[in-house]
Amino acid sequence: MSLKAIIDGIIRDKHRSLSWLAISMGKTFDGLRLGLINESIKYKDILLMAEILEVSPCCFFNTEGLDADQNMVAEPAVEYGDLKSTLKSCKEMVATLKDQINDKERIITLLSKAQPDKL
């Protein structure tokens, strides 16, 4: 179910209109409508919308098809494997760059000792 359909259902149950919600949020009707259709609502706007509609923000998200013991956080675990390998690569890169800086410092020190009057 789309975000707009969910919001429309909540608004209908509360006997309100989308223009009322837009005004309450300080948004234009067209801006809010387009954001709902494209599902490009900011997090802070979702929280504000939930507060105005007096519902929990989690009711805006489709949880159909999830098992009782499954939650929305369980799926991105596959993504963490990529993040861990990326983090490892970054740590290796940082170590390499630190070694390069130390080598450059040693070269500068050696050059300054060899030719103190030219620096």
Side-chain angles (χ1 to χ4, degrees):
M1 181 178 276
S2 73
L3 182 59
K4 182 166 182 341
I6 293 169
I7 299 297
D8 286 343
I10 294 170
I11 289 173
R12 192 175 327 113
D13 292 343
K14 298 203 177 270
H15 306 288
R16 296 292 188 163
S17 66
L18 189 60
S19 58
W20 167 83
L21 180 60
I23 291 169
S24 299
M25 292 179 65
K27 305 276 184 196
T28 64
F29 172 79
D30 290 330
L32 179 61
R33 187 175 137 286
L34 187 61
L36 291 172
I37 291 170
N38 293 335
E39 296 184 351
S40 61
I41 301 289
K42 294 180 182 177
Y43 177 72
K44 68 179 186 174
D45 290 337
I46 289 175
L47 295 178
L48 179 61
M49 196 179 328
E51 183 180 326
I52 291 168
L53 293 173
E54 299 174 340
V55 295
S56 171
C58 67
C59 71
F60 298 142
F61 302 97
N62 186 4
T63 57
E64 293 175 10
L66 293 178
D67 296 334
D69 60 341
Q70 187 180 21
N71 59 28
M72 295 180 74
V73 181
E75 185 179 340
V78 174
E79 183 179 318
Y80 292 135
D82 292 339
L83 290 176
K84 286 181 181 179
S85 65
T86 304
L87 178 63
K88 184 178 177 183
S89 313
C90 288
K91 286 181 178 180
E92 289 171 358
M93 180 67 74
V94 167
T96 302
L97 291 172
K98 284 182 180 180
D99 289 341
Q100 286 180 354
I101 290 172
N102 290 336
D103 291 344
K104 287 181 181 182
E105 291 295 326
R106 279 188 233 132
I107 291 169
I108 291 170
T109 303
L110 290 172
L111 287 173
S112 65
K113 286 181 183 179
Q115 301 172 352
D117 55 334
K118 291 188 178 182
L119 291 176

